[in-house]
Amino acid sequence: LREVQGLSQPSHQQTFLNQLREITGINDIQVLQQALKFCFSDVIDLTGDDKDDLQRAIALSLEESNRAFRETGITDEEQAISRVLEASIAENKASLKRTHPEVWSDSPNPYDRKRQDNCPVGLKNVGNTCWFSAVIQSLFNLLEFRRLVLNFNPPANAQDLPRNQKEHRNLPFMRELRYLFALLVGSKRKYVDPSRAVEILKDAFKSNDSQQQDVSEFTHKLLDWLEDAFQIKAEEERDGEKPKNPMVELFYGRFLAVGVLEGKKFENTEMFGQYPLQVNGFKDLHECLEAAMIEGEIESLHSENSAKSGQEHWFTELPPVLTFELSRFEFNQALGRPEKIHNKLEFPPILYLDRYMHKNRELTRIKRDEIKRLKEYLTVLQQRLERYLSYGSGPKRFPLVDVLQYALEFASSKPVCTSPVDDLGASAPSSGTLPAQTSPSTVEQQGPSSSDVPSTSPVQRSVIHKPFTQSRIPPDLPMHPAPRHITEEELSVLEGCLHRWRTEVENDTRDLQESISRIHRTIELMYFDKTMIQVPYRLHAVLVHEGQANAGHYWAYIYDHHQNRWMKYNDISVTKSTWEELERDSFGGYRNASAYCLMYINDKEQYLIEEEFNKETGQVLVGMDTLPSDLRDYVKEDNKRFEKELEEWDAELAQKAQQEKLLSQIPRAPAPSPAPVQAGEPEYLEQPSRTDLSKHLKEDSVQAINKALAEQEDRSPESSHNASAQPAPNQRVVEVAIPDVGTFVIESEEGGYDDEVMLTPNMQGIIMAIGKARNVYDRCGPEAGFFKAIKLEYTRLLKLAQEDPPPECDYRLRHAIVYFIQNQAPKKIIERTLLEQFGDHNLSFDERCRNIMKVAQAKLEMIKPDEVNMEEYERWHQDYRNFRETTMFLMVGLEFFQKKSYMEALLYLIYAYQNNKELLSKGPYRGHDEELISHYRRECLLKLNEHAAALFESGDDQEVNNGLIIMNELIVPCLPLLLVDEMEEKDIVAVEDMRNRWCSYLGQEMEPNLQEKLTDFLPKLLDCSTEIKGFNDPPKLPSYSTHELCERYARIMLSLSRTPADGR
């Protein structure tokens, strides 16, 4: 009803017009007014005294409200906010099926989740809810708001609820918000889980539309719900007076709208909560506020009988907590989707709002008029200064001071001339006379000795200068530009004038610059007199969004008013920060992160941030002492549960240590079948984090060394010798030297193994692991030996995957599993790959390897079809094959490049770059260094371009054609590949260099056939299209074994590291 009553008011109409303009992107005021008129054609005018109209409006409003409630059970606002919650819950469920960077999983070690000292408590991201964390933490750190929530008591008649939809929603939410705030105060956990509050919101709103809503809208609605909850309590406690709502008192203010609409003046007061500000086109917060407070032609506000429209906003009452919504999203009509505005917008830590207050209206208007006058004068001065700094009438302009300096340098230069005829003396005719065709200028250069030759011979003709073929430097050409004829008197006058003019221009320029600086300073200080710095607001929180309009991550910077420092609240992580970091992440313009909400608090209202004191002792209350008794008990119970987790963890570690101690004291005997190992997933599949890896490896290494020493003492040298000295009759003893592993003496039947397969790095590691597991195999049998060997091999590969080797030593080329681990392949994929390697038939060369091979093959057969997605398995292996193929393209291309075979190198490098880019789109470790490939691809193109230009300059028809073939078939098709990614600045510069090289020929004299060919070719080169033309089939790659590939790759990468390269 309030909205219906306000529609007829001019300020409301203007507000709706502004909202329509922002949503639709349409700036035509007539179109917007027609749309607004059509939308509200059935609005009843309640500004008159007709009581029937009022009754009819109330009836229509109730009928519409009841119909909406009957159909859905909730209001339109509730449906809108439910979409946010549904999106959050859907994302939470989807996170079980896919990895999401914003979803945190709890560490099994509770000590990793323990709160350190009095560090602020974080909030767990339960699935696309980082916006919830940012908003809640900002409000929680307002101590007055925290007190209101913690001390909120449900109404006494709560057992009779729900009386309506709002109470059914708000009171349970307030209960969970109190619990959440209490945990943030006194929990012993590093972070707490807000799922119950989110779940209540989800249950309260039902919607089939899961579209993500604007987070600012959610913040606005959240404050509305809190307002409603406190209103219930306020109405219960009132004593005949109008109840005061603490949420309204804290977050809502009022402004006066005065203006003219279609010639009629209006003035009315409106309440506001979060104040919206446009970002686009403004450089700082004050500019945004000035634009928001003034709409339309403000001159018409003070003139009579004006048909223009405009209005001013003046704050009459500011809230203690003032929140600005920065509109960083706009709808792109051409693309049909919203886009984020990444423009830089500065905001101060202290904001003085005196200039926007109604009590300062007259003074502010005077200052605004003065600023307007100064800015107009500033524009004139800047235009005058620009004429000095960009002098000239052509497309290229230069500072006038420099132009005069260049003229002075030219006038002062002395001409020094030489003739190329002197350089040709050695090849001139021996008779000492010149041919009849010699040009007059040449004769003139000969001096008196050639005076007998007529200067105007009938057979004389001018020399035709043909570029690239018969070019000669014109005779009598000065070594540098200089006046040909000037007297000392003329030079003296000219130098005096140029010196004087240059000094005058320098003085004028300096005076203009100083005047502009003074005006800027005057404008900056206009509002800093004592009368205009009486309403300070301090920045309390900045809510930041990183990403695009349809996706991203949220976090908050919140000021700790007692420690006088900024803190960064990023889900479970709470860290110290600085104003410099806040500027970088919040102002925008630097990357995709920028502030979307600013929360300022009245710097004079200290109760907002004051801590509580004990009324009896006067001491500051901290932690649990600030909580009501019911919440204190709730937090204590949760802390007890967490302490129990810590105790259970300690007991589990102590039990493991005791078991290891007992096992080390038991006499060694043949172990039973290792059934327990098969009960769960093989432990070699566990992938520890990088921080825990070194600890796990150290523990495993110590245990392995101790076991090996004990087993070695139990085993006599004689038995060891007898076990390996007698080969079977049908076998032969073969020594196999395996690189990086050593020389193995193995027993193999004739043709029992493939030498090439045996020499692969995979087989080397497996043979080495089986050898290390020999003792376990001998004591416990093949299955135990298999598990020991496979664990050793996986541990070795995991360690390789965690290393950071030099470029020439890429472990991914040696082992597919290293590639899989680095790219976080599913454990089932890694398990099957490792089993297949241990099940390779080439391991049948001796009994131990053969038995372990059979165990691995049996394990493979036990894998059920639904346990491993074979399509996914094949995709991972295909990606690895693509990675090896990309490596070969890169390696061969670089080898050709070093041989200066640039045409051959280019095609390999193009395919290497394209394949590598596709791999990197799936993950950062899927391919090679993109900058490396890009650099050599670019160098190939530049060198081929120079070669083609040299062929063109030769003037020979065949060479010119060859140069144009290189350009048309190699260079031009590659240009879109360099232009498609606008972020690669070096590629764009290279394209411009190549184009400039050929455009430099325009205007030069050349033979007509060359001019014609250049004219036909240049449009292809200058085509700005990024459409990628088709290339020939990729070049055939030679077949390399893994060792050959690794050796050649290492060799070429080492040679590159010794070769200086621009940009590398």
Side-chain angles (χ1 to χ4, degrees):
L1 183 61
R2 287 196 302 267
E3 293 178 357
V4 174
Q5 290 173 335
L7 288 176
S8 60
Q9 297 179 12
S11 63
H12 280 292
Q13 293 183 14
Q14 187 62 42
T15 301
F16 280 116
L17 287 174
N18 293 338
Q19 292 175 347
L20 281 174
R21 184 185 296 114
E22 179 182 351
I23 294 171
T24 63
I26 298 173
N27 293 315
D28 191 331
I29 190 65
Q30 294 182 350
V31 175
L32 293 174
Q33 287 177 341
Q34 289 177 0
L36 188 64
K37 183 178 180 181
F38 176 78
C39 292
F40 300 114
S41 57
D42 295 330
V43 172
I44 301 169
D45 185 7
L46 300 181
T47 58
D49 298 328
D50 193 340
K51 296 183 178 179
D52 292 337
D53 284 343
L54 177 60
Q55 294 297 328
R56 188 156 56 94
I58 295 173
L60 285 173
S61 176
L62 292 174
E63 180 183 350
E64 181 66 24
S65 176
N66 292 333
R67 183 170 68 252
F69 187 82
R70 286 196 303 270
E71 293 175 356
T72 63
I74 52 177
T75 65
D76 292 339
E77 292 182 353
E78 293 166 346
Q79 289 183 17
I81 198 57
S82 70
R83 290 195 284 268
V84 181
L85 301 166
E86 292 292 338
S88 173
I89 301 304
E91 185 66 26
N92 191 21
K93 292 179 179 178
S95 67
L96 300 176
K97 300 179 181 179
R98 62 183 175 85
T99 301
H100 195 285
E102 295 179 0
V103 178
W104 299 87
S105 58
D106 291 330
S107 168
N109 184 350
Y111 285 96
D112 293 339
R113 296 180 272 116
K114 185 178 180 181
R115 184 178 181 181
Q116 302 297 323
D117 299 328
N118 291 320
C119 180
V121 178
L123 283 174
K124 182 180 179 182
N125 187 340
V126 293
N128 198 28
T129 57
C130 46
W131 46 268
F132 181 86
S133 302
V135 173
I136 292 298
Q137 291 281 23
S138 300
L139 295 174
F140 170 78
N141 282 279
L142 276 172
L143 298 188
E144 177 63 14
F145 180 85
R146 183 194 304 180
R147 283 190 287 269
L148 288 172
V149 172
L150 292 175
N151 294 311
F152 176 83
N153 292 319
N157 61 344
Q159 64 273 12
D160 300 329
L161 300 179
R163 297 178 303 187
N164 55 49
Q165 183 68 17
K166 285 185 177 180
E167 294 180 2
H168 177 75
R169 172 196 66 203
N170 295 333
L171 295 179
F173 177 73
M174 279 300 301
R175 181 182 64 249
E176 292 303 328
L177 188 62
R178 289 183 74 235
Y179 289 155
L180 185 60
F181 272 29
L183 291 174
L184 290 174
V185 169
S187 178
K188 293 184 178 181
R189 304 176 189 268
K190 180 181 178 182
Y191 56 90
V192 294
D193 191 337
S195 296
R196 292 176 64 178
V198 174
E199 286 291 333
I200 284 182
L201 295 176
K202 181 202 71 169
D203 294 337
F205 306 107
K206 303 293 182 184
S207 172
N208 295 324
D209 186 0
S210 62
Q211 181 181 359
Q212 178 83 29
Q213 298 295 309
D214 184 68
V215 176
S216 297
E217 180 183 354
F218 174 80
T219 309
H220 178 71
K221 298 302 179 187
L222 177 63
L223 293 178
D224 282 349
W225 300 337
L226 296 173
E227 176 190 345
D228 291 340
F230 277 94
Q231 187 67 25
I232 298 170
K233 183 66 176 175
E235 290 177 355
E236 185 185 74
E237 297 175 349
R238 68 177 175 177
D239 293 329
E241 299 179 359
K242 185 178 180 180
K244 289 187 177 181
N245 191 314
M247 290 294 111
V248 175
E249 299 289 325
L250 200 58
F251 293 102
Y252 287 86
R254 295 179 182 276
F255 67 83
L256 178 70
V258 295
V260 176
L261 181 62
E262 297 178 355
K264 296 181 179 180
K265 292 187 177 182
F266 65 88
E267 181 173 319
N268 59 280
T269 302
E270 298 183 25
M271 181 178 286
F272 70 93
Q274 292 174 287
Y275 203 84
L277 296 175
Q278 295 296 319
V279 170
N280 213 1
F282 306 109
K283 67 177 183 179
D284 59 41
L285 189 60
H286 276 299
E287 285 192 2
C288 295
L289 276 167
E290 289 281 354
M293 304 299 276
I294 303 174
E295 297 178 3
E297 299 287 339
I298 61 172
E299 292 85 354
S300 63
L301 300 179
H302 318 294
S303 60
E304 300 292 337
N305 302 323
S306 173
K308 294 182 179 180
S309 298
Q311 64 173 315
E312 294 176 339
H313 289 178
W314 299 97
F315 292 129
T316 57
E317 183 182 344
L318 285 172
V321 180
L322 178 59
T323 305
F324 295 113
E325 294 179 8
L326 303 183
S327 180
R328 283 196 171 271
F329 300 98
E330 62 181 1
F331 190 80
N332 188 320
Q333 283 189 307
L335 299 177
R337 64 168 183 252
E339 289 185 338
K340 185 176 179 183
I341 302 170
H342 295 292
N343 298 353
K344 183 177 181 180
L345 183 79
E346 299 179 359
F347 47 85
I350 299 291
L351 180 69
Y352 293 100
L353 293 169
D354 304 74
R355 70 182 81 172
Y356 311 110
M357 300 302 295
H358 180 255
K359 63 181 180 181
N360 298 324
R361 176 167 60 174
E362 297 304 325
L363 180 58
T364 300
R365 283 175 174 167
I366 294 173
K367 290 181 177 292
R368 282 177 179 169
D369 291 340
E370 178 65 14
I371 288 175
K372 182 180 179 181
R373 186 188 66 79
L374 288 174
K375 285 186 175 180
E376 290 174 352
Y377 184 48
L378 184 65
T379 301
V380 173
L381 293 180
Q382 288 173 334
Q383 290 173 349
R384 291 177 59 186
L385 178 62
E386 184 65 18
R387 297 191 189 104
Y388 281 93
L389 298 180
S390 299
Y391 187 80
S393 57
K396 291 185 178 181
R397 310 266 178 118
F398 303 94
L400 181 55
V401 172
D402 293 344
V403 172
L404 294 172
Q405 177 64 28
Y406 299 152
L408 180 61
E409 292 174 359
F410 174 78
S412 304
S413 300
K414 301 295 182 181
V416 179
C417 300
T418 60
S419 174
V421 175
D422 299 336
D423 299 331
L424 300 175
S427 59
S430 58
S431 61
T433 60
L434 292 173
Q437 294 89 342
T438 305
S439 67
S441 60
T442 307
V443 174
E444 186 178 336
Q445 280 289 349
Q446 292 297 313
S449 62
S450 58
S451 58
D452 57 313
V453 180
S455 60
T456 57
S457 173
V459 294
Q460 282 180 339
R461 62 182 180 182
S462 61
V463 177
I464 298 175
H465 298 286
K466 296 184 178 180
F468 322 129
T469 55
Q470 300 174 347
S471 294
R472 295 290 184 270
I473 301 175
D476 202 18
L477 184 69
M479 292 293 290
H480 52 78
R484 293 294 185 94
H485 305 289
I486 186 169
T487 65
E488 291 294 331
E489 184 179 353
E490 291 172 336
L491 179 59
S492 176
V493 172
L494 182 57
E495 285 182 342
C497 290
L498 289 172
H499 274 297
R500 184 176 68 256
W501 295 339
R502 185 174 184 274
T503 302
E504 292 172 355
V505 169
E506 286 179 339
N507 293 335
D508 291 346
T509 303
R510 183 170 55 255
D511 291 342
L512 284 170
Q513 291 173 334
E514 289 175 355
S515 298
I516 290 172
S517 297
R518 282 196 300 271
I519 293 176
H520 276 301
R521 185 65 178 164
T522 303
I523 293 175
E524 289 175 1
L525 297 177
M526 185 67 70
Y527 292 103
F528 277 89
D529 54 60
K530 285 187 177 181
T531 59
M532 297 302 251
I533 54 172
Q534 300 302 312
V535 189
Y537 270 70
R538 182 176 296 276
L539 186 62
H540 165 71
V542 180
L543 278 64
V544 180
H545 174 267
E546 180 179 26
Q548 299 301 327
N550 56 352
H553 181 60
Y554 297 88
W555 67 87
Y557 289 100
I558 303 173
Y559 190 68
D560 186 333
H561 299 272
H562 300 284
Q563 299 292 333
N564 294 323
R565 67 187 181 196
W566 284 95
M567 301 292 291
K568 182 177 181 180
Y569 289 78
N570 191 352
D571 290 332
I572 68 172
S573 172
V574 182
T575 56
K576 296 178 183 178
S577 186
T578 61
W579 176 255
E580 289 72 27
E581 183 183 6
L582 185 151
E583 278 187 344
R584 187 182 67 245
D585 287 348
S586 306
F587 281 7
Y590 174 68
R591 54 192 182 101
N592 289 345
S594 54
Y596 74 91
C597 184
L598 305 176
M599 191 177 291
Y600 282 88
I601 61 175
N602 192 325
D603 204 30
K604 293 184 176 181
E605 302 288 354
Q606 290 299 309
Y607 76 94
L608 294 171
I609 55 175
E610 274 183 349
E611 295 177 325
E612 288 186 81
F613 293 88
N614 188 305
K615 295 180 180 179
E616 297 179 357
T617 64
Q619 293 182 343
V620 177
L621 297 177
V622 295
M624 298 281 281
D625 294 335
T626 63
L627 300 180
S629 58
D630 62 324
L631 294 181
R632 195 179 304 129
D633 294 339
Y634 175 81
V635 175
K636 286 180 178 179
E637 287 298 320
D638 184 75
N639 286 340
K640 285 180 181 179
R641 288 192 292 270
F642 184 64
E643 289 171 356
K644 187 176 180 180
E645 286 185 51
L646 296 172
E647 292 172 0
E648 291 175 350
W649 177 262
D650 292 337
E652 185 180 348
L653 291 181
Q655 184 179 3
K656 288 182 179 179
Q658 185 66 22
Q659 289 175 350
E660 291 178 0
K661 184 177 180 181
L662 292 174
L663 286 174
S664 64
Q665 297 173 356
I666 296 175
R668 306 201 176 272
S673 177
V677 182
Q678 305 175 35
E681 287 189 4
E683 60 183 59
Y684 62 83
L685 291 178
E686 295 298 326
Q687 299 188 35
S689 64
R690 289 180 180 266
T691 56
D692 296 336
L693 178 66
S694 58
K695 182 174 71 174
H696 290 316
L697 288 177
K698 185 175 181 180
E699 292 174 356
D700 291 344
S701 301
V702 171
Q703 293 176 10
I705 292 170
N706 291 336
K707 288 183 179 180
L709 289 174
E711 291 166 357
Q712 189 65 28
E713 292 174 358
D714 293 341
R715 188 164 178 166
S716 65
E718 292 81 3
S719 60
S720 176
H721 174 75
N722 294 334
S724 60
Q726 301 295 332
N730 297 330
Q731 293 183 332
R732 60 189 177 89
V733 177
V734 181
E735 286 191 358
V736 179
I738 301 177
D740 302 327
V741 177
T743 302
F744 278 77
V745 179
I746 64 174
E747 303 162 7
S748 172
E749 297 179 357
E750 197 69 35
Y753 69 93
D754 185 335
D755 291 286
E756 186 173 340
V757 174
M758 292 294 289
L759 291 175
T760 61
N762 289 335
M763 195 59 70
Q764 296 173 20
I766 291 170
I767 293 174
M768 184 167 59
I770 293 175
K772 290 181 178 180
R774 178 178 63 249
N775 293 334
V776 177
Y777 174 90
D778 293 340
R779 288 190 297 105
C780 305
E783 194 158 9
F786 161 76
F787 278 110
K788 180 64 176 177
I790 204 169
K791 178 181 179 180
L792 288 170
E793 176 62 1
Y794 180 78
T795 301
R796 184 180 74 89
L797 296 176
L798 183 61
K799 185 177 180 181
L800 292 179
Q802 299 287 347
E803 288 184 6
D804 187 15
E808 65 271 11
C809 183
D810 195 333
Y811 294 126
R812 296 175 298 173
L813 292 175
R814 302 184 183 186
H815 306 281
I817 291 178
V818 171
Y819 182 84
F820 293 162
I821 293 174
Q822 287 188 353
N823 291 290
Q824 300 179 348
K827 291 193 287 187
K828 293 293 184 182
I829 304 296
I830 299 174
E831 175 185 3
R832 185 177 182 90
T833 303
L834 202 54
L835 283 175
E836 287 185 344
Q837 292 178 3
F838 271 85
D840 193 302
H841 68 88
N842 286 285
L843 286 173
S844 60
F845 57 81
D846 74 354
E847 183 179 0
R848 185 188 306 111
C849 292
R850 187 185 306 112
N851 290 337
I852 287 179
M853 174 195 72
K854 290 178 180 179
V855 174
Q857 291 174 347
K859 298 293 181 186
L860 278 170
E861 293 175 359
M862 290 170 60
I863 297 177
K864 297 177 182 179
D866 59 343
E867 290 182 356
V868 178
N869 187 333
M870 292 308 295
E871 292 183 1
E872 185 181 20
Y873 177 85
E874 180 55 36
R875 281 198 300 270
W876 274 97
H877 280 269
Q878 183 58 50
D879 282 350
Y880 182 66
R881 288 191 289 270
N882 292 343
F883 169 71
R884 285 175 60 95
E885 185 179 85
T886 302
T887 303
M888 286 189 270
F889 278 129
L890 172 61
M891 181 183 68
V892 175
L894 292 176
E895 289 174 345
F896 275 122
F897 183 90
Q898 288 194 330
K899 297 175 183 176
K900 298 185 179 180
S901 301
Y902 301 121
M903 282 190 283
E904 293 83 355
L906 180 61
L907 200 55
Y908 282 96
L909 292 174
I910 285 173
Y911 277 98
Y913 184 87
Q914 295 303 113
N915 292 356
N916 192 67
K917 187 174 183 179
E918 184 177 349
L919 287 171
L920 291 179
S921 67
K922 301 178 181 180
Y925 301 108
R926 294 286 188 112
H928 292 284
D929 181 4
E930 188 172 29
E931 188 181 350
L932 172 76
I933 309 176
S934 175
H935 171 79
Y936 284 99
R937 181 186 65 167
R938 185 168 58 246
E939 286 299 307
C940 261
L941 288 168
L942 289 171
K943 291 182 181 299
L944 284 173
N945 185 72
E946 284 300 313
H947 178 59
L951 292 175
F952 185 79
E953 291 177 2
S954 69
D956 181 78
D957 287 343
Q958 184 61 41
E959 292 191 352
V960 168
N961 290 336
N962 290 340
L964 293 177
I965 288 173
I966 292 174
M967 295 301 298
N968 286 318
E969 295 186 1
L970 290 176
I971 306 295
V972 172
C974 288
L975 296 187
L977 298 176
L978 274 66
L979 294 173
V980 71
D981 188 358
E982 296 181 357
M983 300 301 291
E984 287 292 338
E985 184 178 351
K986 292 180 180 178
D987 284 346
I988 297 174
V989 171
V991 171
E992 291 305 312
D993 288 345
M994 288 186 277
R995 288 172 172 171
N996 291 338
R997 183 74 169 85
W998 290 88
C999 289
S1000 65
Y1001 298 144
L1002 294 173
Q1004 294 189 27
E1005 294 184 5
M1006 63 179 67
E1007 295 177 351
N1009 65 323
L1010 292 180
Q1011 186 70 52
E1012 182 180 355
K1013 290 179 180 179
L1014 182 64
T1015 304
D1016 291 340
F1017 161 68
L1018 274 181
K1020 303 175 187 176
L1021 181 67
L1022 300 177
D1023 182 12
C1024 295
S1025 170
T1026 56
E1027 178 185 355
I1028 299 176
K1029 279 75 174 177
F1031 285 92
N1032 299 327
D1033 293 335
K1036 291 185 178 181
L1037 292 169
S1039 177
Y1040 296 119
S1041 69
T1042 302
H1043 276 301
E1044 289 175 330
L1045 177 61
C1046 292
E1047 288 176 1
R1048 293 188 63 172
Y1049 181 79
R1051 188 162 56 246
I1052 191 67
M1053 296 305 290
L1054 280 171
S1055 65
L1056 292 182
S1057 66
R1058 293 191 295 265
T1059 305
D1062 179 36
R1064 293 300 307 152

